[in-house]
């Protein structure tokens, strides 16, 4: 399934109570982040006081959805020491938190005994799972969605197991 940000926005806006995101890669080659990652590697950092410079339209969408009472949580399973990409993500995560996301980090070594899905995923209202499929270089390939109850329950259980062990963003250092 091909998906645009507009399609995803509609899916996120359809959530009534929760949207959770499980990320498990140490690097992404997502087109809309490549320039920011390159700038970060050259020393550029986001200014907490300059919200207009933050990632749009994503953060606006998060603010809209959370203002409607939807809890958005993101859990990241990461290798340590972290990759440059994860350090880049960590340095900008304050923007996601300011927009309304609750984010936690789990060192991969603490996830060894957890059953996890094979791909990153979003779970909306414990009713639908969207898997984000990436190639070996971290480039997004496509999405798969399912409402299969067993898959939804497995992914939701995996997310909650990670969430329970993970470290809140404000306490996790890279």
């Amino acid at each position: 399934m091909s998906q645009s940000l507009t399609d995803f926005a509609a899916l996120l806006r359809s959530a009534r109570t929760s949207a959770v995101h499980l990320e498990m890669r140490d690097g992404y080659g997502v087109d809309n982040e490549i320039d920011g990652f390159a700038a970060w590697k050259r020393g550029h950092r986001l200014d907490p006081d300059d919200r207009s410079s933050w990632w749009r339209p994503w953060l606006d969408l998060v603010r809209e959805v959370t203002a409607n009472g939807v809890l958005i949580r993101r859990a990241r399973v990461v290798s340590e020491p972290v990759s440059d990409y994860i350090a880049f993500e960590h340095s900008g995560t304050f923007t996601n938190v300011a927009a309304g996301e609750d984010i936690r980090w789990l060192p991969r070594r603490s996830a060894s005994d957890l059953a996890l899905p094979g791909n990153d995923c979003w779970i909306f209202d414990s009713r639908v799972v969207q898997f984000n499929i990436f190639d070996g270089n971290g480039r997004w390939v496509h999405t798969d969605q399912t409402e299969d109850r067993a898959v939804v329950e497995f992914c939701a259980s995996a997310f909650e197991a990670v969430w329970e062990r993970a470290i809140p963003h404000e306490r996790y250092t890279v």
Side-chain angles (χ1 to χ4, degrees):
M1 165 189 289
S2 175
Q3 184 175 45
S4 69
L5 182 57
T6 303
D7 296 336
F8 183 80
L11 184 58
L12 186 56
R13 284 182 179 115
S14 76
R16 295 292 158 240
T17 59
S18 68
V20 300
H21 189 191
L22 180 59
E23 295 180 352
M24 299 176 289
R25 297 183 57 88
D26 287 322
Y28 296 86
V30 181
D31 290 341
N32 65 344
E33 293 181 347
I34 291 173
D35 291 340
F37 181 45
W40 178 86
K41 287 177 83 171
R42 292 189 305 271
H44 174 73
R45 298 299 182 264
L46 293 174
D47 180 352
D49 296 323
D50 183 11
R51 288 182 177 234
S52 66
S53 69
W54 299 357
W55 184 24
R56 301 287 195 262
W58 172 251
L59 298 173
D60 296 326
L61 177 61
V62 169
R63 287 180 59 86
E64 172 192 334
V65 171
T66 57
N68 288 330
V70 176
L71 177 63
I72 299 179
R73 296 183 295 158
R74 182 186 305 252
R76 292 176 170 148
V77 178
V78 296
S79 298
E80 291 181 321
V82 300
S83 67
D84 284 350
Y85 185 86
I86 293 301
F88 158 69
E89 272 194 332
H90 186 272
S91 76
T93 293
F94 73 90
T95 65
N96 299 72
V97 172
E101 285 189 64
D102 192 0
I103 299 178
R104 294 186 182 182
W105 304 80
L106 182 66
R108 193 172 308 281
R109 70 179 181 280
S110 298
S112 296
D113 62 338
L114 299 178
L116 300 174
N119 294 289
D120 289 7
C121 62
W122 279 91
I123 308 160
F124 302 94
D125 293 331
S126 297
R127 65 175 170 78
V128 62
V129 173
Q130 175 172 296
F131 293 104
N132 294 318
I133 312 301
F134 296 89
D135 69 14
N137 292 315
R139 290 182 302 252
W140 178 81
V141 177
H142 68 273
T143 59
D144 293 329
Q145 289 181 2
T146 184
E147 294 182 25
D148 180 291
R149 195 80 228 136
V151 174
V152 171
E153 288 174 3
F154 168 74
C155 291
S157 175
F159 178 87
E160 293 302 332
V162 168
W163 188 258
E164 182 178 307
R165 292 184 184 181
I167 301 162
H169 174 69
E170 63 275 4
R171 291 199 341 249
Y172 185 74
T173 57
V174 297

